[in-house]
Amino acid sequence: MLRVGVMVSGGGTNLQAILDAMENGTVTNARVEVVISNNPGAYALERARNHGIEAVCLSPKTFDSREAFHEAFLKKVDEYDLDLIVLAGFLVTIPEAMIQKYRNKIINIHPSLIPSFCGVGYYGLKVHEAALKRGVKLTGATVHFVDEGMDSGPIILQKAVEVLPGDTPEILQRRVMEEAEWKILPQAIHMIANKEL
Ligand code: GAR
């Protein structure tokens, strides 16, 4: 059984998709051991508790320095003996020590077709604003391994989504989530858990 930790910062719809897929058997051989958020107000924490999963908040704001936060974050993650760390809308940069220790064991979902609209400054709604501004007709989502760069690690899965006339960033964000993110993130976990990668 793959021991999974999910890192979140916000609403947690991707976390929900993972939990639902585990419950309905779409994802097998994997279990979420802990959900960790940097944001005490993240609804994702509530979603975890609703499923009887340990929900932990570690806010950088409560630490004296970034280094102290990084140290506590790594220590907390280590406690759960995780095989896979899933960044599901986690908007904190992963400390280098954690990337080294968990190499090829951290995956991230990004709401565009990497290498478009990714890297520093591209997160959440900003990604979809940029896609609409550029006028692309296709966008999508990407699941990739996390390395030292920003959205630069090896790509695991991608799924394209059409941009439609009249789209706002919010409408496009929702379509990318529904048609791509909520499918390929659970699928990537299933593939890793079942050694299909
Ligand atoms: C998702 O769209 C995810 O792809 C994005 O944040 C959202 C979180 O939503 N992540 C990034 O932009 C990372 N660069 P959720 O909390 O409802 O899953």
Side-chain angles (χ1 to χ4, degrees):
M1 194 60 91
L2 194 83
R3 296 173 62 85
V4 180
V6 184
M7 312 293 134
V8 294
S9 296
T13 64
N14 277 286
L15 167 69
Q16 190 67 56
I18 294 167
L19 297 175
D20 291 347
M22 286 178 176
E23 279 175 18
N24 71 25
T26 310
V27 171
T28 60
N29 293 321
R31 190 172 58 207
V32 176
E33 300 293 334
V34 65
V35 171
I36 301 178
S37 175
N38 61 306
N39 168 15
Y43 183 62
L45 291 170
E46 194 82 21
R47 293 183 194 268
R49 290 189 197 107
N50 289 342
H51 285 256
I53 293 163
E54 206 166 319
V56 176
C57 178
L58 268 188
S59 168
K61 290 182 190 148
T62 62
F63 292 86
D64 290 340
S65 65
R66 204 71 187 173
E67 291 69 36
F69 167 69
H70 283 170
E71 205 175 302
F73 184 36
L74 183 54
K75 194 164 163 239
K76 179 53 71 183
V77 166
D78 280 347
E79 277 175 29
Y80 293 90
D81 193 20
L82 301 173
D83 304 306
L84 182 68
I85 295 170
V86 178
L87 311 184
F90 189 57
L91 302 181
V92 172
T93 306
I94 299 299
E96 209 156 310
M98 191 179 294
I99 292 171
Q100 280 166 17
K101 188 159 185 182
Y102 290 88
R103 191 165 300 282
N104 297 323
K105 290 184 176 176
I106 310 178
I107 64 172
N108 178 49
I109 178 86
H110 183 77
S112 75
L113 294 173
I114 289 175
S116 290
F117 313 117
C118 65
V120 178
Y122 288 101
Y123 58 89
L125 217 47
K126 288 180 192 292
V127 177
H128 306 290
E129 284 165 3
L132 288 175
K133 195 166 170 209
R134 184 64 186 83
V136 293
K137 303 300 176 203
L138 271 182
T139 183
T142 303
V143 181
H144 63 91
F145 286 110
V146 172
D147 66 7
E148 281 80 354
M150 187 71 92
D151 301 328
S152 57
I155 290 171
I156 301 168
L157 289 172
Q158 289 189 303
K159 192 163 190 296
V161 173
E162 253 188 299
V163 179
L164 298 177
D167 272 354
T168 63
E170 290 80 7
I171 292 172
L172 184 57
Q173 178 181 50
R174 183 76 190 180
R175 188 178 315 111
V176 168
M177 284 176 159
E178 282 177 0
E179 294 184 9
E181 296 185 45
W182 301 343
K183 293 180 178 168
I184 63 174
L185 187 55
Q187 192 186 341
I189 296 169
H190 178 79
M191 288 166 71
I192 292 168
N194 292 280
K195 306 204 177 345
E196 290 171 13
L197 257 190

